[in-house]
Amino acid sequence: MARGKAYVITIFLIAFSSAFYGISYYNASSEKEITLSSNEDLTSASKHKQRVALWKGLEENFKNETKFRRLPDIIGIGVEKCGTGALFHFLRFHPSLRIATKNVEVHYFDTHGYKYSKDEYMRFFPEVEKSAFVAEKSPAYFSFPPHTIPKAIHTTAPKAKLLLILCDPVKRVLSDYVQEQKMYELRHPRSITKYATLEDYLDAYLPLVSGLVGDYNEHKSSQQMRTVLQLHGNLYLSTILTTGFYALHLHRWFEYYNNSNLMVIDGEELINNPGPLMEKVQDYTGLPKLVLKEDLVMSPEKRFYCYKDWQENRLRCLGNGKGRTRNGNMEMLNTTSSKLRDFYRSYNEGLVKMLGRNLSWT
């Protein structure tokens, strides 16, 4: 199994070893490996029966394992307002996953500048069983200063798999603008209140950012990135626009990560069809495939997918503060959308080139 984790599963699991999860386990009682491989022809009932057995077997194993504090196996690095909350909401029901204490968003590397240590970072996480997985998500990591965040994470938690959600940057602008307005009301008085509408904000900031950063230029990406990070420090509201310069931000990440340890997720897929995606995430990270695509169901009331808790037989949905601009109640003007699509065109083209594939919105 991925990451070399050894599980001791009680003998009753052999009855369900016929093939769904694509994972191998070692059974100490029989000294045989129990292999559960993928089979798309299995009925949902069969899949659930096997899932229940494996789930309960893992929970029994965890009771006998010594707990200790260690670095994360999985880190969600962003992007802000692209669905990291939804992704980790679905993942948190996994029996093998242990998430950072107190607050799933640790924000260690975007708040500690150039001073960081493994011991200090580890204190954000709970004591966990040896075969459990540890995770955190801090969406600011992807686009916030300092420039050395990717190096810091790679140095501090070198074995961690990173999850990066990239959503349509045009839709992200509206979501971020609304978020800034809401944050002003709560605790962060910023100049966003000068702009009563998104269009007012864009009238002020589109010319400014365009003039200082310009269209994406692969050969000038380092200089452009320095400008973006300077704007972040001196004119924070520029980040409503510059966070969507995905190609620019990815350059610093690709210095330390590649497809083997950084999974790029299409944010629109997460919103519109999260079930199959969540199974892919578990495969990528090495988590046993226990959150199944059938578990993610659309809530007519929320207009979002929720996790159907098979143990409590109820839907577990995100809070009301999530998805303010994605539930159909708030639309962007067509003229505004067109203006932003032109603004991001060169960056989206650069992104496709970097990834070697299209996303649903590129």
Side-chain angles (χ1 to χ4, degrees):
M1 179 183 171
R3 299 174 59 253
K5 288 184 180 292
Y7 290 87
V8 182
I9 305 298
T10 50
I11 193 69
F12 74 90
L13 275 180
I14 295 178
F16 303 107
S17 63
S18 62
F20 169 65
Y21 294 96
I23 312 166
S24 297
Y25 296 92
Y26 183 73
N27 186 299
S29 303
S30 64
E31 295 187 354
K32 292 182 180 179
E33 187 181 67
I34 302 175
T35 302
L36 299 100
S37 58
S38 178
N39 187 337
E40 294 297 332
D41 295 329
L42 287 174
T43 65
S44 294
S46 297
K47 291 164 65 176
H48 177 64
K49 190 175 183 179
Q50 293 182 56
R51 184 255 297 275
V52 171
L54 181 54
W55 191 300
K56 292 186 180 299
L58 288 172
E59 289 181 334
E60 285 300 313
N61 288 342
F62 288 141
K63 293 177 182 178
N64 301 317
E65 291 187 2
T66 302
K67 292 185 177 182
F68 61 99
R69 205 179 300 273
R70 58 184 174 79
L71 295 165
D73 306 291
I74 302 166
I75 303 176
I77 63 169
V79 170
E80 289 186 310
K81 312 312 300 175
C82 279
T84 54
L87 177 68
F88 275 74
H89 172 73
F90 298 145
L91 281 176
R92 75 183 181 90
F93 298 104
H94 197 291
S96 295
L97 195 64
R98 310 289 181 262
I99 296 179
T101 54
K102 296 184 180 179
N103 189 344
V104 65
E105 295 191 10
V106 171
H107 288 286
Y108 179 73
F109 296 101
D110 59 291
T111 58
H112 282 66
Y114 300 96
K115 297 179 180 179
Y116 49 87
S117 73
K118 291 184 179 182
D119 290 340
E120 187 176 35
Y121 183 44
M122 218 181 307
R123 286 201 291 269
F124 288 93
F125 301 96
E127 292 186 345
V128 302
E129 305 85 350
K130 180 179 180 181
S131 56
F133 287 68
V134 183
E136 74 125 320
K137 64 122 178 159
S138 296
Y141 288 162
F142 179 68
S143 58
F144 272 45
H147 184 272
T148 54
I149 287 178
K151 179 182 178 181
I153 294 177
H154 190 264
T155 300
T156 308
K159 296 181 180 180
K161 294 285 186 74
L162 307 190
L163 302 178
L164 172 64
I165 306 172
L166 300 179
C167 61
D168 184 343
V170 173
K171 294 179 180 179
R172 205 210 71 83
V173 165
L174 176 59
S175 182
D176 205 354
Y177 169 81
V178 172
Q179 172 75 359
E180 284 299 320
Q181 293 278 8
K182 183 61 64 175
M183 294 302 288
Y184 173 85
E185 294 175 14
L186 294 176
R187 60 181 182 269
H188 292 315
R190 288 177 176 146
S191 56
I192 189 67
T193 53
K194 293 192 300 185
Y195 310 107
T197 67
L198 175 61
E199 287 66 35
D200 290 340
Y201 164 81
L202 293 176
D203 285 344
Y205 276 83
L206 266 181
L208 185 151
V209 174
S210 295
L212 291 175
V213 185
D215 290 340
Y216 173 70
N217 186 324
E218 180 181 355
H219 304 292
K220 296 181 179 179
S221 60
S222 295
Q223 177 182 338
Q224 289 179 308
M225 189 65 203
R226 283 196 298 272
T227 301
V228 165
L229 293 180
Q230 287 170 358
L231 282 171
H232 184 287
N234 299 327
L235 204 60
Y236 181 79
L237 290 182
S238 65
T239 62
I240 293 176
L241 292 171
T242 60
T243 299
F245 291 165
Y246 302 145
L248 205 57
H249 294 291
L250 268 175
H251 274 285
R252 62 173 177 164
W253 290 96
F254 279 1
E255 290 182 32
Y256 300 93
Y257 294 92
N258 55 40
N259 290 335
S260 70
N261 50 14
L262 193 161
M263 181 181 188
V264 176
I265 296 168
D266 188 332
E268 302 307 308
E269 184 180 354
L270 179 62
I271 291 173
N272 298 317
N273 191 23
L277 174 63
M278 293 309 299
E279 293 196 359
K280 292 177 187 176
V281 168
Q282 291 168 90
D283 287 339
Y284 184 84
T285 57
L287 281 164
K289 197 183 294 181
L290 294 175
V291 176
L292 306 180
K293 60 185 178 183
E294 293 85 357
D295 297 333
L296 284 302
V297 297
M298 176 64 74
S299 166
E301 179 184 351
K302 295 281 188 179
R303 296 192 193 176
F304 283 106
Y305 280 87
C306 300
Y307 174 75
K308 186 177 181 180
D309 193 323
W310 61 271
Q311 298 185 87
E312 299 183 11
N313 195 30
R314 68 186 181 97
L315 292 183
R316 308 288 289 270
C317 301
L318 286 163
N320 293 329
K322 296 293 184 179
R324 300 184 190 98
T325 63
R326 296 298 189 114
N327 57 12
N329 294 329
M330 189 176 297
E331 298 289 341
M332 185 183 294
L333 295 175
N334 290 335
T335 52
T336 302
S337 176
S338 296
K339 187 183 300 184
L340 285 170
R341 297 223 172 271
D342 288 341
F343 177 72
Y344 285 115
R345 181 167 288 110
S346 65
Y347 288 88
N348 290 345
E349 291 171 351
L351 177 66
V352 170
K353 183 178 178 181
M354 292 182 74
L355 297 179
R357 64 184 173 99
N358 282 293
L359 299 177
S360 62
W361 44 266
T362 55

